[in-house]
Every structure is written in C-alpha cells, then in structure tokens.
Amino acid sequence: MMPTELNFQCSLCDFKSPYDYFGSKPPFANAVVLLEKAYVLKDPFVPEGRHITVGSHCSVCKRAVCAGQDCSLFYTKRFCLPCVKKHFNEFPQEIQQELEKKGS
Ligand SMILES: [Zn+2]
Ligand SMILES: [Zn+2]
C-alpha cells in the first residue's frame, strides 16, 4: 500500500506543501518542542534534528495558515492576518508598529 502523502494548504494564499508531522513535538527533531501545534516538514538537507514549520492553525478562527509573513503572525499564539486586523488594538504597541511598517 502506498503511504498517503500529507499536504498542507494555506487558506489565505496559494502556498501548498507536504508535511511530515502535525503537532508540537516532532519525533524527528530531537528535544524540540514547538510553541504551537504546527505542520512540520523534515529538512531534507540537514541530517538530524532540523525541521521547517510550514504552517499552523489560527488560534482564533482555526483556519489553516502558512508561516509566511503575509498570512500569519506568531505572538504567543498563531494569528492569521485577518484576525490580527480585527484585533489590532489588542496587540502591544511594538507589534502594531511592526505591522504598520509592513504597510499592508
Ligand atoms: Zn499563506
Ligand atoms: Zn484567524
């Protein structure tokens, strides 16, 4: 039987990527505990313990978002950009300035 390939698809952009694991403790990355449950890909170019976070779920609306700066923000939790905009005033000033600099 062929193993089913797992694929992550961002709900905000066209980003698509296979992933090896979903959760916060990738078994192939030694002693790594992520701050969130995320879609993780084994880094094929590094022999051991390296991983790439391809995406996660927004902690507010639960949609799948990639880790790209245009789609999500990680501030103690993952937020998709539409939710960041909705709750803009609840973020600390440094994050607000950071977002304004990007001029979206
Ligand atoms: Zn995206
Ligand atoms: Zn959201």
Side-chain angles (χ1 to χ4, degrees):
M1 223 170 76
M2 289 279 289
T4 324
E5 190 172 271
L6 299 167
N7 267 294
F8 168 80
Q9 161 92 63
C10 177
S11 65
L12 292 174
C13 72
D14 290 335
F15 180 78
K16 223 188 281 184
S17 167
Y19 67 94
D20 296 308
Y21 172 79
F22 174 73
S24 57
K25 238 182 153 297
F28 45 83
N30 288 335
V32 169
V33 181
L34 305 172
L35 295 168
E36 60 180 336
K37 280 191 174 166
Y39 294 94
V40 179
L41 183 64
K42 232 189 278 190
D43 188 336
F45 303 107
V46 181
E48 222 182 282
R50 286 296 197 93
H51 66 282
I52 302 165
T53 301
V54 294
S56 181
H57 285 277
C58 171
S59 60
V60 181
C61 68
K62 314 293 180 208
R63 76 168 95 200
V65 280
C66 72
Q69 286 201 334
D70 293 333
C71 290
S72 73
L73 167 81
F74 189 83
Y75 175 71
T76 68
K77 286 182 284 191
R78 177 74 55 185
F79 298 92
C80 69
L81 276 215
C83 285
V84 170
K85 283 179 186 149
K86 231 188 286 175
H87 300 274
F88 191 72
N89 293 325
E90 291 158 44
F91 285 92
Q93 236 174 18
E94 59 194 275
I95 301 286
Q96 292 185 11
Q97 282 165 359
E98 194 63 26
L99 289 164
E100 274 165 357
K101 248 191 291 174
K102 279 200 299 191
S104 53

